[in-house]
Structure formats: C-alpha cells, structure tokens
Amino acid sequence: MLRPRRYALPLTPGKDEVAFDAWIKLAADGVVTVAVPQVEMGQGVTTLIPQVAAQELGADWRQVAVEPAPISPLYANVPLAAQWAELTMPATPDWLIGEDGAWVRRWAQDHAFTITADGTALAAYEAQVRNAAASLRALLCMAAASRWGVAWQECGTAKGFVVHEAKRLPFGPLASLAARFDPPGTPPLRAEPPGENPDDLPAGSPLNFPRLDLPAKVDGSFVFAGDVRLPGMVYASIRHGPIGASTLAGYDKDAANSVRGLVTLVRNPGWIAAVATNWWAADTALTRMDARFAATNRADSSAIDAAMDKAMQSGTATRIHSLGDPDSYLSGRLPLQLRYEVAPALHATVETASATAHFHDGRLELWVGTQAPQAAREAAARALGIDPLAVTLYPMPLGGSFDRRLENDHAVEAALIARACGRPVQLMWSRKQEHMAARPRPPVVAVLGANVDPAGRIGGLRARIAAPPAAREFGRRLLHGDAPFAAIAAVAGETDAMVLAGAVPPYAIEHVAIDHVPAQVPLPSGRMRGNADGYTAFFTESFVDELAHRAGREPLGYRMAMLGNDPRLAECLQRVAALSGWGGGGDNSGQGIACHVIGAGRIAVVASARRDADGVRVDKLSAVADIGRIVNVDIARQQIEGGLVFGLGLALGCSTAYEDGLPVTGRLASMSLPVLADCPTIEVAFVKSAAEPADPGELGVAAVAPAVANALFSATGLRLRQLPLLSEDV
C-alpha cells in the first residue's frame, strides 16, 4: 500500500517552452516559469517559491515568471496534513503521522492536499523546489559543456547564464538540448543561503528579491476571480437565508422581472440568485423580489451567550494538556480566577466571494480563488453530480482571505447557477451576503486561575476554556462535504484540541492544566488568521499581566523570570523593550507588553495606547520576532506588519451580534476596523537565527490584542477582558 507511486507531470509547456519537472519550465527566450501550488492572497508566496528556485538555479530575477500549479498529488502539502492530523487522519497512530511518515505522505497525495494555510509553504516546498532547480542547473551545465567540450561539473550558473572561465551561454537557447540529458541522481545543491537580518542586510541586496506580484497590483492589471471575462458571460448576485435551518419560502417574481437586463432566477432550498447582463441589475432584482425564508434554530446572540454560559458552568471538560500534578495543586477554587470572553469575529476581506463558472457538455470550468482547490473541485462536482475529473479549476489569487476561502460555498453556488442558466456566469457576493454566509471565528469563554506564592510567582496555572469544536466542524465541511448545521451536529460534544492551540503558557510553570469544554451554539464557525492563538494569547498574556500588577512586579521582569526555558522568547522581550523605549508599564504610561509562541516562531509586542473621546487610540506598535532563517526579509516584515494591523482590527472590532439569524453588522464601515488614519506607527525587528523558517503571518495577530489591553490598563486603570475590547461597558 505504501510503495512509491509515479504521477504524470502536471505542467504543460507552451510554445518554445520545455517543462523539466513539476516545478519549472524554461523558454527559448530565457524566461524561467515556476509553478506555485499555493494561492497568492497577499502573503507573498508567488515570490518566495520562485525566489528559492531562482537562487538555486542562478536565474536572472528579471526573467522569472510564475504560474499557479494545477491540482496534482505532486504538490501535496505533507506538513500541513500532519499538522491537521486531528482532522485529516483521526485515530491514526502518532508514529505514522510525523511529517516525514509514509502514511501521511500517501494520504496527502491521494487527496491532492495542496491547501494553503498555517504558513507551511516553505516547509512543504522549499526542499522540492531547490532540488528541481539544482537538477535543471545540472542539465543546463551538461548542455553547455557538450558544446564547449569540458566537464559539466566545471561549469556554473549566474544571472541566467551558464559560465565556464570566460565563456558563457544564456539559459534559453540551451533549453531543448538540456532536456536530452539525464539529471544526476542527487543533484548538487548550492550552499544554503544565509538567513537575512535587516540589521546587516546591505541596501539593494540581491537576496532580498522584489515581489513579482507588486507591479500588477499597483497598476490594477492583477487579475482576480471577479476580473475574469468570458464571451457571453452573465452576472449573478445571491441572497442567503438567515443563519439556521433556512428554506426559501417565497418571493415576488413579478417585481424581479421588472428589472431591465434580468436573465433568469435560480432557486435553491437555502438561497436564491438572480442572473442578469450586469451585476447591479441582478442585485436590484433580488432587492425588489424581497425573498422570504423559513428558518428554525436561528443564530441569535442571546442564545449564543446562553449556550456559552451553560457550557462554562456545567459542561464536561476534557484535559488536553497537563504538567506537574494539577489534580493535587490546582483542584477546587483557586485564590485568583478571572473570566475572559471572545465574541464571534468576521474576516472582513476586501474582496467578497467571487467565482466564474461555465458548465457545458457535461463538464465544468471554474475560475475561483480558494485555499483548498481540490476540495472546491470535489464540492462543485458533488453538487452537479459529475466526476471531479470533469471539473477544470483555474486557481485565482485572492484579495484577502484570512482563512475564509478555505470554505468553498461560493464555488458550489457558481457551478449550480452556471448549469441552470446555460451560460458562463460570474457570481459575486455583496458585503452583506459575505457577512451573512460567514464562518466566523467562534465565540470563546475562558476562566483562568492560578496559585501564586507570597512573592507573586506562579506555582500553577489552570485554564477552563469553553468553545465550540470549531476546527472539527470545519473539517467536516471541508473534508466530508457536510452542510453547516449537519457539521455542528456531527461533532457535538467532541473535544477539539485545535481550538485551544496556544493555550499552554510559554513560561516555566510547575503545574499546568488546560481543559476544553465543548459548547454547542447555533452558529457555524470556522478558521481565521491567527487561529486559536488569536484568543488564547489574549487570555494568557492578559492574565499574566494582571498577576504581575497584583504582585507589584514590573510586567517585563515578571515574564523574564519565567523564561529560563525559552531564551529565544526572552531575547524577543528584551529587544522589544529596547526598541520601544519600554518604561516599565507603570500607571498612566499607556504601554503594554505581551509575547507569544506559535510553532517555532516567537514574538514580543509593546503597544502604546490611550482612550479618548473617540474611543481607543493605539499610537505605536513595536514588535521583535524570531522566525528562524528568513528567506525574504521584506515579505517577512510585511507579514508581521499585516498581522499586527489585522490583530488590531480583531482587538477593536471585526465582530457582529446576531438577531433572528441575521448579522447586525452589514458594512465594513460599522465594524470599527482601523482605517489608514488610525493605523499606529509600526516598527518591526527580527532576531537573526539559523533555525528552520517559521511562519510570520500569524504571530502579530496573536500578540497584539493582549499588548493593547495591557496598555489600556496602564493608561486608564481599567481591565478589559473581552474581545473586541470595546464590547465591554467601562
């Protein structure tokens, strides 16, 4: 069963191109095209992977292009499949799950598991891309050496040329000849490029490659799913039923037909779509028809709050992490117990869900931005009752996702509408529908307690956290095709360690207990950038800060005293204190500090904040991160900065209440998101490290909320224990 398999090479060369493997094509004009199996959604992956190839190959960056890789087992994201083993391979023994295990590799290949998530692109693909580029470099050297009559091992490559002493030949004219040679069994790799650090990186360093996607994004020529245009294409808008068990009950068809340009209406039990010659006409028709839905078990904030309280007060807890002897040391009511709450949070992507579909001759063509292309393909095929092999999916970049596009409901809807209207159709959700059909970050309630000695040192820490098993619920939708409320029912009462990720403190505490209480709420929920760390860091770092102040200890020193087990995190704290001009976080300083660990990445953040008549104002964010070896420092910095701003949005807004199955918040303007004028001064520094690269994309999201909450305490003396911070009356 686990014997190696061979798969057809997925790349199709164009005119005057040669495809050498699953990763690289070389054209006669010297253009090197690198396939990228991860979706570009702002994180820079369409620069990182080509950069790895270009460095190893010795290519001229000005002649490097990128194309989205087709769905293929050759691009399986094995590290993510292992990381998500709780979802992908439940009940599989741990010794089979490891990232290099044959079992997990086979599972990922069999399911064409190329999902983009959790910053795993380098872990999954860097080695493969380097080997592919090294093989091509050897072939090009063989081709040139055959012309020069020298040993190929004496040749090298640089800036798009094969070189030998004073001789050189460009890559392009050698492409077809190079394809005739057999690559060495183990291609020789260049010395691994050193990790970059902004402190010692010279200006204009050739290692700090500029982003390939930036020029097109600046001039507006970058093509997203909503920019696709096909002959005879029509446009669709949609109305979803209230959140609950919704069914379409009625609508005014005559009112819809009065709209000029209307082509047809497409009905589904849970939604109705209008198709017209332009999107505005389609959306106007939906507004006029006033669709009515019958729904039971509708999402409502009062019901959600009641379910969370019930779980916290009387739910059955399962211990997911234990250290020391928590049963003896942390039983019963502890001297200090504090409650923290997190409201459902929306993704607020700039681009709403968009997809273009064309169903003809029993086949579907689908242009869609998705983090899970094979799952989207299978979901669309299942909805149409056709074989997934009859679905051709063209992966499109995303105008933001934050894990929202791990869900593929828009792809399914576009496929069904395309079949119904018999023409190419482009579906685009309105902002209100984006919020209506959202799979928000789940509501969470936590009670943290601690035993401390007379000097304020933590002897034991216990966390009881009530949350829906949202990761398992998401897994049912993604991997099994469950409907939202069917997924909730399927995982009801299950323990979900993934929704408590990051809850284990990074500190050296002798006794620790982390318990999960599954809550069942009438609201489908899912993943979001920062994942569970986006709220577990808030719980832990707010609680530790409270303990420091109660003990009369300076917050930085209090943390440092507990970090003898993690010198890398301690260095981040020390350096961010110097970077920010940390003054001790005393009364009225407006400074707050927090730190967090996600996988192999570490970060420390200092926020300067105040509260005035207009609400909370964050003036400055300083961050120091240790993310191991940095491949591209500009992209790493962008990811930390973007994470800080996204986390700031989650700290101050990004949420909505629900009434009778409808989100109260329908527009971005009402979500308290930071606009450009509100964005604080941001400074980011990195710790130089030779460790393997860690993902920078989630770190800033996790650490900023507790840093801001702690800053507001130092500025006002008020403790805010809810997210968003302004959801609490103070």
Side-chain angles (χ1 to χ4, degrees):
M1 179 179 179
L2 297 181
R3 65 185 183 278
R5 292 183 178 177
R6 296 183 64 86
Y7 300 100
L9 291 180
L11 296 186
T12 302
K15 184 180 179 182
D16 297 326
E17 270 189 331
V18 179
F20 285 89
D21 47 42
W23 295 99
I24 302 175
K25 297 190 296 186
L26 179 58
D29 60 3
V31 173
V32 177
T33 301
V34 181
V36 176
Q38 302 275 274
V39 64
E40 176 62 68
M41 48 188 176
Q43 82 279 36
V45 70
T46 50
T47 295
L48 280 177
I49 290 179
Q51 176 182 328
V52 170
Q55 287 176 299
E56 188 63 49
L57 180 58
D60 184 340
W61 189 241
R62 295 169 300 179
Q63 290 188 284
V64 174
V66 61
E67 72 174 41
I71 297 171
S72 168
L74 291 172
Y75 304 117
N77 188 340
V78 179
L80 184 65
Q83 193 170 310
W84 285 9
E86 181 180 329
L87 308 179
T88 56
M89 291 163 286
T92 302
D94 290 344
W95 63 273
L96 284 173
I97 295 293
E99 291 183 10
D100 297 324
W103 188 273
V104 68
R105 182 172 297 279
R106 172 50 51 84
W107 185 95
Q109 290 174 337
D110 286 349
H111 292 81
F113 189 81
T114 59
I115 286 177
T116 305
D118 289 358
T120 49
L122 287 174
Y125 304 118
E126 184 181 24
Q128 295 183 61
V129 172
R130 285 193 69 192
N131 282 323
S135 291
L136 177 53
R137 175 163 46 84
L139 292 173
L140 290 168
C141 288
M142 291 176 186
S146 70
R147 293 189 177 182
W148 293 329
V150 300
W152 73 267
Q153 293 88 344
E154 298 175 8
C155 300
T157 59
K159 298 182 179 179
F161 289 86
V162 180
V163 296
H164 179 268
E165 297 178 349
K167 301 183 291 292
R168 67 178 194 166
L169 285 171
F171 285 176
L174 294 173
S176 57
L177 178 59
R180 301 175 189 173
F181 291 88
D182 293 324
T186 303
L189 297 174
R190 297 183 191 272
E192 189 169 276
E196 297 185 12
N197 187 293
D199 295 334
D200 55 24
L201 186 68
S205 168
L207 294 181
N208 204 26
F209 289 55
R211 290 183 63 143
L212 292 175
D213 58 336
L214 192 57
K217 287 181 176 177
V218 169
D219 68 20
S221 61
F222 200 75
V223 178
F224 297 93
D227 298 317
V228 172
R229 295 294 181 266
L230 300 174
M233 189 175 80
V234 288
Y235 301 83
S237 185
I238 196 167
R239 293 290 188 272
H240 299 94
I243 302 169
S246 296
T247 55
L248 182 64
Y251 57 94
D252 187 343
K253 184 176 181 180
D254 291 338
N257 287 334
S258 67
V259 176
R260 179 179 298 177
L262 182 69
V263 174
T264 188
L265 300 176
V266 181
R267 299 177 297 279
N268 190 270
W271 50 262
I272 185 168
V275 181
T277 54
N278 62 82
W279 186 87
W280 186 255
D283 196 63
T284 300
L286 289 174
T287 300
R288 291 187 183 179
M289 75 168 60
D290 189 25
R292 301 176 299 282
F293 292 86
T296 58
N297 196 30
R298 296 192 180 195
D300 191 90
S301 289
S302 60
I304 294 170
D305 293 343
M308 297 303 297
D309 286 340
K310 179 181 177 181
M312 180 55 71
Q313 293 167 11
S314 58
T316 301
T318 300
R319 184 144 297 167
I320 66 164
H321 180 81
S322 179
L323 182 66
D325 186 10
D327 289 334
S328 299
Y329 197 76
L330 294 170
S331 60
R333 184 168 183 84
L334 301 177
L336 177 64
Q337 295 189 165
L338 297 173
R339 176 176 168 129
Y340 300 87
E341 298 180 4
V342 174
L346 300 175
H347 301 79
T349 59
V350 173
E351 178 194 30
T352 60
S354 303
T356 302
H358 187 199
F359 184 76
H360 56 98
D361 303 322
R363 301 187 60 85
L364 176 70
E365 291 183 278
L366 188 60
W367 292 259
V368 63
T370 172
Q371 293 177 249
Q374 179 65 5
R377 184 188 192 189
E378 292 177 348
R382 189 164 51 245
L384 295 176
I386 61 176
D387 192 302
L389 294 178
V391 178
T392 301
L393 187 146
Y394 305 101
M396 305 299 294
L398 289 164
S401 174
F402 319 121
D403 282 356
R404 176 61 183 96
R405 304 300 176 232
L406 283 165
E407 312 275 356
N408 292 304
D409 29 0
H410 59 309
V412 170
E413 293 167 356
L416 291 171
I417 296 168
R419 182 177 66 178
C421 70
R423 297 167 63 177
V425 63
Q426 183 172 98
L427 170 67
M428 185 178 297
W429 290 4
S430 67
R431 177 62 57 187
K432 185 174 182 179
Q433 294 305 305
E434 182 74 37
H435 292 177
M436 175 82 78
R439 306 285 182 261
R441 189 176 72 177
V444 187
V445 175
V447 172
L448 273 65
N451 275 318
V452 296
D453 65 17
R457 291 185 293 265
I458 305 174
L461 185 146
R462 183 182 70 201
R464 177 182 170 91
I465 303 176
R472 290 186 176 274
E473 179 189 327
F474 156 74
R476 295 292 310 184
R477 294 194 301 268
L478 178 74
L479 301 174
H480 301 281
D482 285 9
F485 278 83
I488 291 176
V491 301
E494 291 188 6
T495 301
D496 190 345
M498 291 178 71
V499 299
L500 268 64
V504 179
Y507 305 108
I509 300 173
E510 186 175 357
H511 306 282
V512 176
I514 309 294
D515 298 337
H516 176 222
V517 184
Q520 188 169 0
V521 300
L523 177 69
S525 54
R527 291 173 53 87
M528 176 174 282
R529 183 178 185 182
N531 301 314
D533 296 87
Y535 47 81
T536 55
F538 173 68
F539 300 154
T540 301
E541 286 300 284
S542 296
F543 186 64
V544 167
D545 210 71
E546 296 209 41
L547 292 174
H549 282 281
R550 287 169 183 261
R553 301 275 297 278
E554 188 270 322
L556 171 62
Y558 189 75
R559 289 171 169 81
M560 291 292 294
M562 297 187 289
L563 283 175
N565 62 322
D566 196 335
R568 292 174 66 189
L569 185 57
E571 182 176 358
C572 289
L573 278 166
Q574 289 177 318
R575 288 192 55 185
V576 81
L579 181 68
S580 64
W582 172 253
D587 292 345
N588 302 316
S589 73
Q591 284 189 318
I593 196 167
C595 60
H596 194 59
V597 175
I598 300 180
R602 289 155 174 80
I603 193 169
V605 175
V606 170
S608 296
R610 55 191 166 87
R611 185 170 184 181
D612 57 24
D614 297 323
V616 170
R617 177 74 63 181
V618 179
D619 296 315
K620 183 179 179 183
L621 292 172
S622 304
V624 173
D626 183 341
I627 57 171
R629 174 173 55 86
I630 300 177
V631 174
N632 186 305
V633 72
D634 277 353
I635 290 177
R637 187 184 306 278
Q638 291 161 11
Q639 283 287 280
I640 296 291
E641 292 172 344
L644 291 171
V645 175
F646 188 81
L648 184 61
L650 291 172
L652 304 181
C654 258
S655 187
T656 183
Y658 294 88
E659 293 181 1
D660 198 26
L662 303 177
V664 174
T665 301
R667 302 176 61 227
L668 289 180
S670 57
M671 293 184 67
S672 300
L673 297 171
V675 298
L676 188 60
D678 299 325
C679 278
T681 300
I682 298 176
E683 49 188 359
V684 175
F686 295 100
V687 175
K688 187 172 183 179
S689 173
E692 283 302 298
D695 173 42
E698 319 286 341
L699 283 168
V701 179
V704 69
V708 172
N710 295 337
L712 289 172
F713 171 75
S714 71
T716 67
L718 299 172
R719 278 290 177 190
L720 303 176
R721 301 191 182 102
Q722 294 182 344
L723 288 181
L725 296 173
L726 298 187
S727 61
E728 187 173 45
D729 293 329
V730 294

